[in-house]
Amino acid sequence: MRIRIPRPKLGRPKSSDVTSGVVTGLFSIPEGMAYASIAGFNPVSGLYAGVVPPILGSLTAPTVLMITTLTSAIALTGQSALADAGLDPHDAGNVAALTVLVGVIMILMGVLRLGVVLAFVSNAVMVGFSTGIALQIITGVLKDATGYKPQGHNKLTQLADWLVHAGDWKLSATLVAAATVAVWALTRAVKRLEPVALLTAMVAVSAAVAILGTDVDLVRDIANIPAALPSCTVPAWDVMPELAAGAVSVALVALAQAAGISPSVPNPDGSRSSVNGDFVSQGVANVGGGLFQALPSGGSLSRTGVAASAGAVTRWAGIISGVFLALVVLVAGSLAEHIPMPVIGGLILVVGGELVRGKRRDILLVLRTSKLSSAAMVVTFLATTQLPLQRAIVIGAVLSLLLYCAQAARRARFTALARDDTTGQWSTAPVPDKLPPGEVTVLDYEGSSLFAELPTLRTRLPDPKGARDAVLVLAIRTAPDIPSSAILKALRRYTDTLHAEGGRLVLAGAHPAQLALLRRTGLADHLDADAVVPAEGPLLAPLDRAHAEARVWIATRRSTHG
């Protein structure tokens, strides 16, 4: 099976892409190492996840500004996958096997066009999921920003615990983080300096911390940065069967996180993104990164936010970030070790806050749309902040399915149509409670044909009792196929009742798929001869034909009765 992926256009890098690449590359040093360390991996593997994956991802991703690299959720899910398989997370062969396997799964999902599943995920669920991820980003750096590690079994309780224990914040770390945010805000207020606000804040505050000798944690407190590029690593092929299930979980978490990037950060060039193309792109990034000591990667909302905030306008920003990080590691690793962790924490707080701020209109829109959508958004948000991310994804998918079914069932309705014999024009009319005897009643059915619509069919079809010589013409041309046997059974029963009262049911406008289904299930034979009018000719031609034949049938019945 082939998949069409928009061909990436490189063009020429802009000056703002260079700035953005530098900022994003610098962010990858402490953030990548911190995520790897938290999950129990070698911190250097997290660092290397910012080299090859961003380059390959940015070269191939239809979502132009998406940065493919390690995230906290991916790191934690990857650690769980290795632990479940009883494998050592510090073994380079095991890590390479997991990363490559995750990449292969992503590519297969893209080639099989499984990205279409995300099209059925409701906007309310995606807003709740994206907002929850933004909160995870914020809570993930609270310790770096204030020196206090919040306690709690979920992100909301951690945030509450952090606020309650403000007295336990480390003063030096808090002041450095606050200064970082302040410098960013002041720089951003100057329109010309807005693209370099993040870089300015990072460099200026880091320099001030070094000059003043402020006692705060530095990047080197996580691990030393080796002055060498990542070497090629052969995956441990024999452990891949044991990692298969875990790799699927890692892939789903990574892809779900990346799904929120294209709506949050649209392509600056106006080109269209492709979910399936992004799947394949992230897969390629993982296969390549796995061979060069990188941990599993995916589209990072926080790193993409950093790139966009720093002025990225083309995919060159991601490419430059990987190349710049490689150069820093190679020639200036010891210098990058002096970046203060509160500086990174402060800037990540800014990025997370901007992501939440960007969702405020979407949140208000969902809240004003319906109570059901609002509930789905809130439940997804709570699941994302309180449960393992893979479970939150499943809950979001189930909620989307329930929302779709509920909304589809509510769309089911009948509209009565009346024909003007003089002009031949059709107009709408109230649906009668009972079929008037000796008359033609025309109803247009609109719905999705879900079995949940069965109550609508039963309660809104006119009562056939006493409908002698009456004809009900049911227009179904604009209705989809009827996959529910319960709906077919209901139509059969209604037909039997109508026949017993001396009336007739006619289905008008059946397209070929519907006609084949009616014949295959025997409903066409159960109706009177010629009681199914196929969809042929102009849109209203079947309706005109069915109406005319119904009037002839009534006239014939009346003349027969005398």
Side-chain angles (χ1 to χ4, degrees), residues 369-394:
T369 300
S370 71
K371 293 181 179 179
L372 195 60
S373 296
S374 299
M377 178 182 68
V378 172
V379 170
T380 305
F381 170 78
L382 293 175
T384 306
T385 57
Q386 301 191 43
L387 297 175
L389 203 54
Q390 55 267 40
R391 295 183 187 176
I393 293 169
V394 173

Side-chain angles (χ1 to χ4, degrees), residues 182-444:
V183 172
W184 168 82
L186 291 173
T187 308
R188 194 169 183 268
V190 181
K191 192 170 184 180
R192 291 184 179 181
L193 298 178
E194 186 175 352
V196 296
L198 289 172
L199 180 61
T200 301
M202 178 184 288
V203 173
V205 180
S206 296
V209 168
I211 293 173
L212 297 174
T214 308
D215 182 21
V216 293
D217 290 339
L218 305 178
V219 168
R220 68 184 178 190
D221 295 321
I222 300 176
N224 294 323
I225 299 176
L229 295 177
S231 59
C232 183
T233 302
V234 178
W237 306 108
D238 57 317
V239 303
M240 284 191 173
E242 304 171 49
L243 289 172
V248 171
S249 297
V250 177
L252 290 176
V253 167
L255 296 177
Q257 283 188 297
I261 293 179
S262 57
S264 301
V265 189
N267 290 345
D269 58 4
S271 61
R272 296 181 62 182
S273 297
S274 165
V275 175
N276 290 313
D278 285 340
F279 280 13
V280 174
S281 171
Q282 292 170 82
V284 170
N286 273 287
V287 171
L291 298 176
F292 288 92
Q293 297 182 264
L295 285 169
S297 302
S300 170
L301 189 57
S302 65
R303 211 74 60 87
T304 303
V306 168
S309 298
V313 291
T314 75
R315 62 182 68 252
W316 274 103
I319 298 170
I320 291 172
S321 74
V323 173
F324 179 76
L325 177 58
L327 292 175
V328 169
V329 170
L330 190 61
V331 302
S334 59
L335 183 62
E337 290 178 357
H338 292 279
I339 298 177
M341 293 304 297
V343 169
I344 298 301
L347 293 181
I348 292 295
L349 287 177
V350 167
V351 171
E354 288 290 290
L355 291 173
V356 174
R357 181 172 175 271
K359 287 294 178 183
R360 69 189 189 283
R361 292 183 180 177
D362 292 333
I363 294 172
L364 290 175
L365 178 62
V366 173
L367 292 175
R368 293 168 181 170
T369 300
S370 71
K371 293 181 179 179
L372 195 60
S373 296
S374 299
M377 178 182 68
V378 172
V379 170
T380 305
F381 170 78
L382 293 175
T384 306
T385 57
Q386 301 191 43
L387 297 175
L389 203 54
Q390 55 267 40
R391 295 183 187 176
I393 293 169
V394 173
I395 290 174
V398 171
L399 286 175
S400 295
L401 178 61
L402 292 176
L403 278 176
Y404 172 77
C405 292
Q407 292 169 356
R410 287 186 303 195
R411 283 203 307 267
R413 64 181 179 179
F414 290 106
T415 303
L417 302 175
R419 188 177 188 276
D420 188 322
D421 292 335
T422 303
T423 63
Q425 299 295 317
W426 290 92
S427 60
T428 60
V431 178
D433 295 328
K434 299 184 66 174
L435 283 180
E439 295 184 18
V440 181
T441 302
V442 180
L443 296 181
D444 179 67

Side-chain angles (χ1 to χ4, degrees), residues 75-143:
L76 292 171
T77 310
Q79 187 275 336
S80 178
L82 287 168
D84 291 343
L87 299 174
D88 181 7
H90 288 272
D91 185 286
N94 292 339
V95 172
L98 175 63
T99 307
V100 170
L101 192 55
V102 168
V104 171
I105 292 170
M106 288 177 165
I107 293 173
L108 287 176
M109 293 179 71
V111 171
L112 294 175
R113 301 177 185 270
L114 295 183
V116 71
V117 175
L118 296 179
F120 292 93
V121 177
S122 76
N123 178 64
V125 168
M126 285 305 301
V127 170
F129 183 78
S130 300
T131 307
I133 290 296
L135 182 61
Q136 283 199 4
I137 292 171
I138 292 172
T139 55
V141 295
L142 293 179
K143 180 182 180 298

Side-chain angles (χ1 to χ4, degrees), residues 56-71:
L56 294 180
S58 295
L59 281 171
T60 57
T63 300
V64 172
L65 300 185
M66 183 174 73
I67 305 297
T68 303
T69 188
L70 178 67
T71 69

